Amino acid sequence: MNARLRGVIGAASVALALALIGSVVAYQPAGAGPLVNHDGVNHDNHPAAPDAHQAAAIEGQAGIQAASEFRANCRASHRSGNDPIIYPNQTGVSHVHEFFGNRSTNASSTYTSLKAAGTTCDPVVDLSAYWVPTLYKNGQPVAPESVTVYYQGIHDMQRAVAHPPNLRYVVGNSRATSPDQNPSARWSCTTQSPSSRDFMNCPAGTKLETYLDFPTCWNGRDLDSANHKDHIVFWAGSCPSTHPVVLPRLEFLITYPVNGGGLSLGGTVNGVNVTNAPGYTYHGDFINAWDQPELERRVRDCVNAGRICGTNGNPI
């Protein structure tokens, strides 16, 4: 699929995703009681299914083309069972994630530690931490072939402001028990337009790819929240009065050098970390550690100005 083409979930792809549910082991329902593993770690603090209003906003945003943007091209850095947003200072507690951007990201990462480290991204002024669950094919981990992180103007772009330093949030539902519980999950195949919330069985000559869109309406106050999502919500015709500050849309476009079947994700089943989670549990995390003046310049000169810019923050 062309890098700028956004597929929409068709009836056939949804049917395929639903057909796959029967082959998946039972997952802890989203919104159910505390999810505690054998080490006594509470896994209930990861964002669960969105409400109906936010689910509709997520679905609607998937079809919105960017009117302006700048980008960072990143490489995979490392993988580990850490998550500094969900399980800060708890090394090895999380299911396995694939990290890109900041090279130092671990369970104990702070804004200060991220700012002192290096990055796999172009431009090097983007020291942000980005991560998603690790992809597996036939039980073996697969690193992304390419990662593009877009910062896009999709609505009210003249009013958009730069993400504040150390802003962090999570999108997606790692505890989904069916595709309809995670409208953020969006899988497709290169050179093709259909998409699905569960894995696509991409034909020979294509590669698996995924888009992950982040919300754009911030409450203007909190850098995080108890469930790591309530301080930022998805735009639904406008930003609500509770979340009036417009941010550029953060979007991951990740391509993996695989096709066919045998695919799974790092995840958590009944309190135990596994590597066979289904595609509809896909999610992503972000901590802003950009050089703030450079981020603000890009928002002003690209997003606010209605221009498409490259990694150097200049119009293409």
Side-chain angles (χ1 to χ4, degrees):
M1 185 170 68
N2 183 283
R4 311 309 306 140
L5 179 63
R6 277 28 174 201
V8 294
I9 298 175
S13 60
V14 172
L16 173 63
L18 293 171
L20 292 173
I21 297 174
S23 64
V24 179
V25 295
Y27 274 68
Q28 179 79 4
L35 189 61
V36 180
N37 71 8
H38 59 278
D39 294 323
V41 176
N42 183 1
H43 285 264
D44 197 46
N45 56 348
H46 206 290
D51 61 28
H53 183 265
Q54 281 290 282
I58 294 168
E59 291 175 345
Q61 180 172 294
I64 298 177
Q65 298 290 318
S68 58
E69 69 183 25
F70 59 94
R71 67 192 70 173
N73 292 333
C74 307
R75 303 185 309 279
S77 172
H78 58 286
R79 69 176 62 96
S80 65
N82 292 323
D83 190 323
I85 294 180
I86 305 297
Y87 305 116
N89 302 311
Q90 300 180 71
T91 300
V93 165
S94 173
H95 51 255
V96 180
H97 287 105
E98 202 78 20
F99 293 86
F100 45 98
N102 199 290
R103 296 179 183 273
S104 71
T105 313
N106 59 38
S108 301
S109 290
T110 64
Y111 180 70
T112 300
S113 70
L114 295 174
K115 292 292 287 183
T119 182
T120 67
C121 292
D122 171 17
V124 296
V125 290
D126 182 9
L127 298 174
S128 300
Y130 308 102
W131 63 98
V132 295
T134 294
L135 177 75
Y136 293 83
K137 183 174 175 66
N138 299 325
Q140 297 300 310
V142 178
E145 179 177 87
S146 66
V147 179
T148 303
V149 181
Y150 294 100
Y151 290 76
Q152 302 172 321
I154 62 169
H155 60 83
D156 290 347
M157 61 186 185
Q158 291 84 7
R159 294 201 303 117
V161 301
H163 297 74
N166 203 27
L167 181 70
R168 53 189 62 203
Y169 48 100
V170 181
V171 296
N173 180 10
S174 69
R175 300 172 58 198
T177 63
S178 63
D180 64 345
Q181 291 185 347
N182 190 11
S184 290
R186 189 153 50 110
W187 299 95
S188 55
C189 306
T190 57
T191 75
Q192 300 186 2
S193 59
S195 67
S196 171
R197 291 181 186 169
D198 209 346
F199 292 119
M200 303 281 288
N201 191 322
C202 295
T206 70
K207 298 175 183 178
L208 181 73
E209 68 180 6
T210 180
Y211 289 93
L212 189 64
D213 294 335
F214 287 68
T216 58
C217 299
W218 177 43
N219 67 13
R221 178 182 67 254
D222 300 312
L223 299 179
D224 200 355
S225 51
N227 64 0
H228 315 294
K229 68 175 184 179
D230 283 350
H231 57 307
I232 303 183
V233 299
F234 284 87
W235 175 82
S238 64
C239 283
S241 60
T242 55
H243 296 72
V245 181
V246 180
L247 300 175
R249 177 174 67 179
L250 181 64
E251 180 181 73
F252 296 168
L253 169 56
I254 303 177
T255 302
Y256 295 92
V258 295
N259 51 40
L263 302 173
S264 63
L265 294 173
T268 305
V269 183
N270 298 323
V272 177
N273 294 326
V274 300
T275 60
N276 64 347
Y280 53 74
T281 63
Y282 198 67
H283 54 283
D285 303 58
F286 163 65
I287 301 176
N288 176 32
W290 273 82
D291 177 276
Q292 196 64 22
E294 272 298 304
L295 179 61
E296 292 171 0
R297 180 184 72 82
R298 284 165 164 79
V299 172
R300 181 186 67 247
D301 294 351
C302 303
V303 174
N304 298 154
R307 296 170 175 164
I308 302 295
C309 296
T311 59
N312 61 2
N314 295 324
I316 295 175

